[in-house]
Amino acid sequence: MAKNVQHLSLYEQIKHHLLAEIELEHWKPHDKLPSENELTKQFSVSRITVKKAMSDLVEQGIIYRVQGKGTYVSAPDSGSAAGEAPIHPQETQSVALLLPFINNQHNALLLNGVESILSEAGYSLLFCNTENSIEKEERIIREMVERQVAGMIVYPVDGESYNREILQLTLDSFPLVVMDRYLRGIDTNCVCPDNLRGAQEGVNYLISLGHRNIGFLSTVITGTSSIEDRLAGYEKALAEHHIPIDRRYRYVDIELGEPKPIKEKIRDFLERNPELTAIFAINPGLGLQAIKVASEMGIRVPEDLSLIFFDDFEFSEFYTVRPTFISQEENVLGKEAAKLLISIMENPEQDTQKLFFPPKLIIRESTAKPGSGR
C-alpha cells in the first residue's frame, strides 16, 4: 500500500495495515482474521486501539464479525459469509458518565445537562457512581471499555492528580471528556468552570463592599484542580487590591462527612480570627456549617460576617439567610461536555480542547458591608 501512515494515529495505522493485507489478498473473502488479542501483541498497543480499528472496518463492510467465532473478510458484494449475518454496530450507542456522587444539586444538574444532549443525539447514557474512590473509578473505566461504550465523560474524584486508566484512554485516542475539573499533566479534552475567575469575582465583590479581612474555608486542596484554582482566585483578588495575603485566614484541611469535627474546626477558626468580617467557602457544605457555627457563637450573618460560597443547594430560597453564591451553571457545563464528546466521537482526529466557562455571581442576603448591623 503506497499510502504513508507514519503520521497517522495508532488505530489508523492498524486499520491501514489490515486493509493492505486484504487488498494484497493475503487474506481472502471469508478468511478469519487474527484475534484482537493477537493484534494487540503484534502491534504492542492496547486492546482499545485494536478494537477501534476493527470496528471502523466493520462499519465500512470490509470485515464482519460472527458471534462466538471471530472476525472475517467480507466478500466483495455480500458483506458476510453465506448463512451468517454480520453483526452491525448497535443503532443506539452508549456513552458512560462517571460521577463521584449524586447526592447534591450540583451533580444532578450536570447529569441532567449531559443526558439531555446525548438523548437528543441518539445516544444512551450509562451513569456510573464512583463513590469518590480512585480505585472504583479505575475499575469502572476498565469495565466500560470492555462493554465497548462509544465514549466517556469523567468527573474525577476529589484529590485525584493522576489516573492511569484516564492516561491510557488518552494515549489510545479513546473518545473522552473530563468534566468539572482537570488532571494536571494529562492532555485530555475537558469542560470546566473557570474556578479561578469565579473565586476572584466573589472575593472582588466582598472587597467592593469594604471587606479586607476575608477568610478562606476549604477541604484538602492538593490534587484537586478546581480547589487549587479557587484558592488562586482568592489570592489574586487580594493581591490586585493590595491586600496582604494572611495565611492565618486560610483553613484548608477540613474533611467533609463528619459534621461535629467540622463545626469544631470552624468554631476554632472563627475564635482565632475574630477580626474576620467575611468568608469565602469553596462549597455549600462548608458555607452552611459556617453559618450555623456563627449563629451559635452569636455572630450575625451578614451584619457581623458576610459569606460567599461556590454552588447553590436545594431549597436555598427557603433558607433563613439566602446565601450569596457562585453559580457554575452546571446544566450548561453538562451540555457542553456532551456536545464536545459527540464532536470527538464523530471527528476523532481533532485537536484536544480545554473549554472553560465563566461562573456567575448570584448576590443574595448573606453579604453586606462590614459592620452594617451596628
Side-chain angles (χ1 to χ4, degrees), residues 148-335:
Q148 299 186 42
V149 296
M152 279 188 238
I153 298 174
V154 179
Y155 181 145
V157 307
D158 289 341
E160 182 174 15
S161 57
Y162 173 79
N163 181 306
R164 59 190 172 189
E165 297 299 331
I166 289 179
L167 176 61
Q168 189 62 59
L169 291 179
T170 303
L171 293 174
D172 290 332
S173 300
F174 184 89
L176 168 71
V177 172
V178 173
M179 182 171 62
D180 189 84
R181 58 189 62 159
Y182 54 93
L183 302 180
R184 301 189 192 278
I186 301 181
D187 188 26
T188 59
N189 295 284
C190 70
V191 173
C192 304
D194 190 336
N195 286 288
L196 188 151
R197 180 174 170 181
Q200 184 179 5
E201 185 175 353
V203 177
N204 279 341
Y205 176 65
L206 291 172
I207 293 171
S208 74
L209 292 174
H211 296 280
R212 293 297 179 269
N213 299 330
I214 303 170
F216 181 87
L217 287 178
S218 170
T219 52
V220 177
I221 289 177
T222 306
T224 303
S225 62
S226 57
I227 303 178
E228 292 172 347
D229 288 348
R230 289 173 194 180
L231 175 59
Y234 161 82
E235 293 185 340
K236 185 176 182 182
L238 295 178
E240 288 186 351
H241 288 86
H242 308 290
I243 299 173
I245 297 172
D246 193 332
R247 290 185 176 272
R248 293 176 303 168
Y249 295 166
R250 286 174 29 178
Y251 206 155
V252 296
D253 62 350
I254 302 172
E255 295 288 351
L256 295 178
E258 301 178 16
K260 188 175 179 180
I262 291 173
K263 289 180 70 174
E264 289 177 359
K265 288 182 177 181
I266 293 175
R267 177 183 293 273
D268 179 63
F269 177 64
L270 292 177
E271 287 176 346
R272 283 187 285 108
N273 300 287
E275 68 277 18
L276 288 177
T277 61
I279 286 179
F280 180 89
I282 60 113
N283 60 39
L286 291 178
L288 293 178
Q289 289 287 1
I291 291 176
K292 290 178 182 177
V293 172
S295 177
E296 292 172 2
M297 295 174 65
I299 300 172
R300 298 168 300 169
V301 174
E303 293 88 351
D304 304 318
L305 183 70
S306 286
L307 186 80
I308 290 181
F309 50 75
F310 256 84
D311 301 331
D312 200 6
F313 59 93
E314 197 170 9
F315 304 125
S316 64
E317 288 288 328
F318 303 101
Y319 209 68
T320 307
V321 178
R322 298 190 311 157
T324 296
F325 69 98
I326 309 293
S327 170
Q328 298 188 60
E329 305 289 275
E330 293 92 340
N331 196 259
V332 173
L333 284 176
K335 288 181 177 180

Side-chain angles (χ1 to χ4, degrees), residues 24-60:
L24 293 170
E25 297 189 344
H26 293 164
W27 293 316
K28 301 184 186 304
H30 309 307
D31 279 355
K32 185 176 181 180
L33 298 179
S35 68
E36 288 181 2
N37 282 337
E38 290 171 331
L39 290 171
T40 294
K41 293 177 182 177
Q42 178 181 343
F43 290 97
S44 299
V45 296
S46 73
R47 193 169 175 180
I48 301 172
T49 303
V50 172
K51 193 183 296 290
K52 184 170 177 58
M54 302 281 270
S55 295
D56 276 11
L57 294 177
V58 169
E59 287 186 31
Q60 295 170 26

